């Protein structure tokens, strides 16, 4: 359902002049699209992202994973619970620092990530078709730059 953008009156900015609102609307729409594509694998795009961050190495501290995802600790813990229950990730205490928790992907998690990769690619292609391939890359590049993760 599309809403027509109406001009602001009396020098009051309209709702679509708010960068945050538009970014949140875009994020919700993208999330729905990716979640729909990933549903056959039984994971969400949030789950997929967590598994992607954990896949290269021996795990990450909870703090580092939260920082990488721009996620508060309580939100991260809430998102890790179903992944832990499904055996996709393990959370343990760091042997060097008992107050620090480590998060690692399991073999089952690696398998799930591999299973979901083709579905994720379909979601990527769907967005690129809607936005245009070069435009989709530009949106991602500029978003990463705005987050301070890449030079513009």
């Amino acid at each position: 359902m599309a809403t027509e953008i109406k001009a602001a009156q009396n020098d009051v900015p309209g709702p679509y002049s708010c960068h945050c609102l538009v970014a949140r609307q875009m994020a919700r729409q993208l999330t729905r699209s990716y979640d729909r594509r990933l549903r056959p694998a039984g994971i969400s795009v949030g789950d997929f992202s967590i598994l992607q961050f954990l896949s290269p190495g021996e795990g990450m501290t909870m703090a580092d994973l939260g920082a990488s995802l721009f996620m508060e600790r309580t939100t991260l813990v809430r998102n890790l619970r179903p992944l832990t229950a499904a055996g996709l990730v393990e959370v343990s205490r760091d042997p060097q620092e008992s107050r620090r928790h480590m998060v690692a992907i399991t073999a089952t998690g690696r398998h799930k990530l591999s299973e979901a990769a083709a579905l994720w690619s379909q979601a990527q292609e769907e967005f690129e078709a809607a936005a245009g391939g070069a435009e989709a890359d530009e949106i991602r590049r500029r978003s990463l730059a705005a987050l301070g993760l890449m030079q513009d």
Side-chain angles (χ1 to χ4, degrees), residues 52-129:
Q52 278 187 312
F53 269 103
L54 295 173
S55 68
E58 298 295 314
M60 300 174 77
T61 66
M62 185 90 66
D64 287 344
L65 181 58
S68 296
L69 293 164
F70 287 78
M71 195 177 282
E72 298 293 326
R73 181 177 173 81
T74 55
T75 305
L76 179 60
V77 168
R78 190 172 52 248
N79 281 272
L80 287 173
R81 279 189 193 124
L83 296 175
T84 303
L88 304 178
V89 301
E90 292 177 334
V91 179
S92 60
R93 292 205 183 269
D94 184 336
Q96 302 339 266
E97 174 59 58
S98 65
R99 294 182 305 169
R100 192 167 42 193
H101 289 84
M102 300 296 295
V103 185
I105 191 169
T106 64
T108 304
R110 287 185 194 285
H111 178 73
K112 182 60 74 175
L113 183 60
S114 177
E115 172 190 344
L119 300 169
W120 174 84
S121 291
Q122 290 172 2
Q124 288 277 100
E125 290 167 8
E126 187 175 283
F127 176 68
E128 290 167 357

